[in-house]
Amino acid sequence: TSAESVTKAGNAVVGTLLGLASGIGLAVLTDGHTGAVLTVIVLSLTFGLYLAQVSYAFTAFFTSTAVVQLYGLLHELSADLLFLRLAETALGAGIGIFVALLVLPTNTRDTVRAARGRYFEAVAGPLRTVAEGPRDGAANDSAPDLDAQLRLLDLRTQQLALVATPLTSLLGH
């Protein structure tokens, strides 16, 4: 949705800025210690992937930290290069916000409505299959079809829960 795109863009800029600051501090500490630099890079990328589901800011933070370490390892670390990385991230975020708000705006309620429709269509499939029963007296004819329908229902349930999160998260507060 548009709101999620704006949030993700903001998280990218904030995470990149903080990651660059963190990376610079760690680059000073690990300068000349290749093993320490590689450890920071691996840990940063691991944490970035692990925490990606929590917030995109963590991914941007840890990726930027790893990139600064890599620049230091390659003896290419400079303020101009780090500023360029931040500027490119901010430009990309600005373009993303522009597109999300003005070119292809989508709101949460419309997205949830569409996902809810796909969910109910997926619910109907297994119900129809079970109501019809086995075809031609063979019990196994509908089993693969039913399995596929149940997998689709599971997918549609997950999709609906995901897109409805912004609406349902307000209920918990």
Side-chain angles (χ1 to χ4, degrees):
T1 64
S2 297
E4 290 172 318
S5 296
V6 170
T7 300
K8 190 171 185 178
N11 285 340
V13 174
V14 170
T16 299
L17 179 63
L18 295 175
L20 293 176
S22 163
I24 291 169
L26 286 169
V28 170
L29 294 174
T30 60
D31 188 35
H33 304 287
T34 304
V37 170
L38 294 175
T39 300
V40 170
I41 291 172
V42 169
L43 288 174
S44 292
L45 294 177
T46 300
F47 284 124
L49 290 172
Y50 182 75
L51 294 172
Q53 294 299 317
V54 176
S55 172
Y56 189 70
F58 287 119
T59 302
F61 172 83
F62 285 112
T63 301
S64 296
T65 300
V67 166
V68 172
Q69 289 292 299
L70 185 60
Y71 288 154
L73 188 63
L74 298 173
H75 305 292
E76 296 293 329
L77 185 59
S78 70
D80 291 339
L81 189 58
L82 298 181
F83 180 76
L84 178 63
R85 177 162 172 76
L86 181 60
E88 288 174 343
T89 301
L91 179 63
I95 291 169
I97 290 170
F98 173 78
V99 169
L101 295 178
L102 301 175
V103 179
L104 299 170
T106 55
N107 69 42
T108 302
R109 293 189 193 289
D110 291 341
T111 305
V112 169
R113 192 173 298 118
R116 187 179 57 213
R118 288 189 299 271
Y119 167 78
F120 284 124
E121 288 171 11
V123 167
L127 292 176
R128 246 185 253 111
T129 300
V130 170
E132 291 172 358
R135 288 174 249 180
D136 300 325
N140 291 334
D141 282 353
S142 66
D145 192 33
L146 182 59
D147 287 343
Q149 291 172 342
L150 290 173
R151 282 193 299 276
L152 179 62
L153 176 57
D154 185 49
L155 174 67
R156 296 296 187 229
T157 303
Q158 291 173 4
Q159 289 173 338
L160 179 57
L162 179 66
V163 300
T165 299
L167 298 177
T168 59
S169 65
L170 297 175
L171 299 175
H173 297 314

